[in-house]
């Protein structure tokens, strides 16, 4: 099946080798690659351009998208939907919600939309993008790939200092109070973990709605924990210097040994293969749900709470301003 695969944060540590795999192994697809900064001054965007240049006969398009701006997300979705309608772009075969944000060094940050930045970039903007573009999928089928983490499950990630949990007052997810202590790392990582927990909960709700919709039940959603990536730039971005040192001089050199205590420890390139294969349908075609690496898995007990899933679903619609007129999904409102 031909079509377009949209990848956010396409100049990331995992995304770039995923792009390379899709261009080399799945040439029938058009890749629509978004980055926050298109400028040649962004070294990672330039690396992405170099990857694309090795496949001049393939179709790969670079577009700018800032997930910290919901207006930009809606405008981007409008333009892509228009391109698909006008046949300037093949219908969507997949959306890979790869872009992420965390800040383990600083206090709570709000976007221009007034929402906590980690939660908006990781969950809200991707939810808005997916819901806006469901009507642009190929009738033959397609897949939404969301990114999870073992951090969503209390006690599973060694960086955890404050347990992840969805608060009863969900407004606190988007407008949290100031950190109660000066433990920037602990509270920042909890915000990241909470966003991953929300992503998984929302994925379950999304699949229920897709399955009920006769026009969209050909689309499936998965949330993958791609593993703990020893060479990810995330370990060196908005993190304390100590984690930077650990990444360079302990985690990467000792990765083969660390796998004995953490079987999900691997490189970004290894994870990229799984993500590319999920996006293209080479792996688990038509399946829904939560995966660790490429193995169907159980997510944390809280993520399976259907009442909380529904509340989060409704609040996500509210926060992202998704209404009947801007999504193809029925039975939602």
């Amino acid at each position: 099946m031909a079509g377009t695969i949209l990848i956010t944060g396409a100049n990331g540590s995992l995304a770039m080798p995923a792009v390379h795999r899709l261009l080399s192994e799945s040439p029938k697809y058009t890749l629509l690659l978004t980055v926050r900064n298109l400028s040649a001054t962004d070294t990672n965007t330039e690396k992405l351009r170099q990857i694309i240049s090795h496949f001049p006969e393939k179709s790969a398009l670079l577009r700018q998208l800032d997930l910290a701006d919901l207006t930009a997300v809606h405008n981007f979705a409008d333009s892509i939907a228009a391109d698909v309608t006008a046949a300037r772009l093949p219908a969507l075969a997949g959306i890979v919600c790869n872009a992420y944000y965390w800040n383990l060094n600083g206090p709570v940050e709000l976007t221009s939309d007034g929402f906590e930045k980690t939660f908006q970039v990781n969950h809200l903007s991707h939810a808005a993008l997916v819901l806006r573009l469901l009507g642009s999928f190929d009738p033959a089928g397609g897949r939404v790939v969301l990114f999870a983490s073992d951090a969503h499950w209390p006690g599973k990630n060694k960086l955890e200092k404050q347990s992840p949990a969805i608060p009863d007052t969900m407004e606190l997810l988007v407008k949290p109070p100031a950190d109660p202590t000066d433990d920037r790392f602990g509270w920042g990582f909890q915000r990241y973990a909470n966003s991953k927990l929300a992503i998984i909960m929302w994925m379950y709700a999304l699949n229920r709605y897709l399955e009920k919709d006769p026009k969209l039940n050909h689309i499936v959603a998965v949330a993958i924990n791609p593993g703990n990536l020893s060479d990810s730039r995330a370990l060196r971005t908005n993190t304390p210097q100590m984690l930077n040192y650990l990444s360079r001089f302990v985690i990467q050199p000792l990765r083969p040994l660390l796998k004995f205590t953490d079987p999900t420890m691997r490189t970004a390139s290894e994870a990229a293969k799984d993500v590319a294969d999920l996006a293209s349908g080479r792996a688990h075609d038509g399946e829904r749900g939560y995966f660790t690496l490429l193995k169907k898995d159980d997510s944390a007990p809280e993520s399976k709470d259907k009442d909380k899933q529904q509340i989060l679903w409704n609040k996500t619609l509210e926060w992202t301003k998704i209404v009947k007129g801007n999504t193809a999904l029925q039975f939602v409102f």
Side-chain angles (χ1 to χ4, degrees):
M1 180 186 70
T4 299
I5 295 178
L6 165 60
I7 304 175
T8 66
N11 59 358
S13 301
L14 183 154
M16 285 195 284
V19 167
H20 187 278
R21 180 170 178 82
L22 286 167
L23 289 172
S24 58
E25 302 290 336
S26 301
K28 59 190 174 182
Y29 292 106
T30 294
L31 300 189
L32 180 59
L33 309 173
T34 78
V35 296
R36 185 176 56 83
N37 184 1
L38 276 176
S39 169
T41 61
D42 188 307
T43 57
N44 296 307
T45 300
E46 284 303 289
K47 289 177 183 177
L48 178 60
R49 286 193 174 99
Q50 290 172 15
I51 291 172
I52 294 170
S53 71
H54 295 151
F55 301 89
E57 74 284 5
K58 309 296 175 58
S59 182
L61 310 171
L62 270 180
R63 296 288 185 270
Q64 185 170 18
L65 178 60
D66 183 358
L67 296 175
D69 181 347
L70 278 168
T71 298
V73 172
H74 282 279
N75 290 341
F76 177 81
D78 283 338
S79 69
I80 299 308
D83 284 345
V84 170
T85 298
R88 292 187 293 267
L89 193 66
L92 292 175
I95 299 178
V96 180
C97 300
N98 168 74
Y100 94 103
Y101 183 80
W102 70 3
N103 190 342
L104 310 186
N105 277 333
V108 171
E109 297 175 88
L110 300 182
T111 67
S112 59
D113 297 294
F115 299 138
E116 195 278 313
K117 188 172 183 178
T118 298
F119 196 79
Q120 176 167 330
V121 171
N122 294 357
H123 171 56
L124 291 182
S125 289
H126 281 131
L129 189 64
V130 168
L131 291 172
R132 291 297 313 278
L133 289 175
L134 288 175
S136 297
F137 269 80
D138 193 303
R143 170 170 275 170
V144 175
V145 180
L146 303 164
F147 276 63
S149 165
D150 64 359
H152 88 278
W153 193 310
K156 279 203 172 184
N157 193 290
K158 292 180 174 59
L159 296 181
E160 177 188 310
K161 298 173 75 175
Q162 313 291 340
S163 295
I166 300 296
D168 292 333
T169 304
M170 288 199 187
E171 202 69 27
L172 294 174
L173 289 170
V174 294
K175 296 184 179 179
D179 295 335
T181 69
D182 61 1
D183 180 11
R184 300 301 193 201
F185 186 98
W187 296 113
F189 191 79
Q190 186 196 50
R191 286 190 286 275
Y192 170 79
N194 282 349
S195 75
K196 296 301 180 179
L197 176 55
I199 286 167
I200 297 167
M201 295 175 71
W202 187 81
M203 177 271 299
Y204 288 128
L206 174 62
N207 275 324
R208 283 199 300 273
Y209 281 109
L210 289 172
E211 287 180 286
K212 289 192 300 183
D213 193 319
K215 294 183 178 180
L216 299 176
N217 57 16
H218 57 287
I219 304 170
V220 301
V222 298
I224 179 174
N225 165 20
N228 289 312
L229 310 184
S230 60
D231 55 348
S232 173
R233 293 200 313 272
L235 297 174
R236 304 186 297 277
T237 304
N238 294 336
T239 59
Q241 194 64 40
M242 181 56 70
L243 186 56
N244 192 327
Y245 288 142
L246 285 173
S247 169
R248 293 178 183 275
F249 304 118
V250 178
I251 297 175
Q252 292 186 57
L254 299 181
R255 179 177 54 82
L257 295 176
L258 294 173
K259 283 180 69 71
F260 287 105
T261 58
D262 179 1
T264 73
M265 182 71 71
R266 58 182 181 163
T267 66
S269 292
E270 290 171 317
K273 177 181 179 295
D274 291 350
V275 171
D277 289 354
L278 279 175
S280 65
R282 292 163 65 100
H284 300 286
D285 190 26
E287 289 192 49
R288 309 170 189 265
Y290 176 74
F291 290 80
T292 296
L293 311 190
L294 273 187
K295 181 181 178 182
K296 196 73 176 288
D297 203 0
D298 283 328
S299 56
E302 186 177 12
S303 71
K304 298 179 181 179
D305 185 325
K306 289 187 177 180
D307 290 335
K308 280 194 173 184
Q309 289 170 10
Q310 191 59 49
I311 296 170
L312 176 67
W313 176 269
N314 293 337
K315 293 300 292 183
T316 298
L317 295 177
E318 174 190 327
W319 292 324
T320 57
K321 298 181 180 178
I322 297 295
V323 295
K324 285 184 179 180
N326 63 14
T327 181
L329 192 61
Q330 301 178 41
F331 313 117
V332 172
F333 303 96

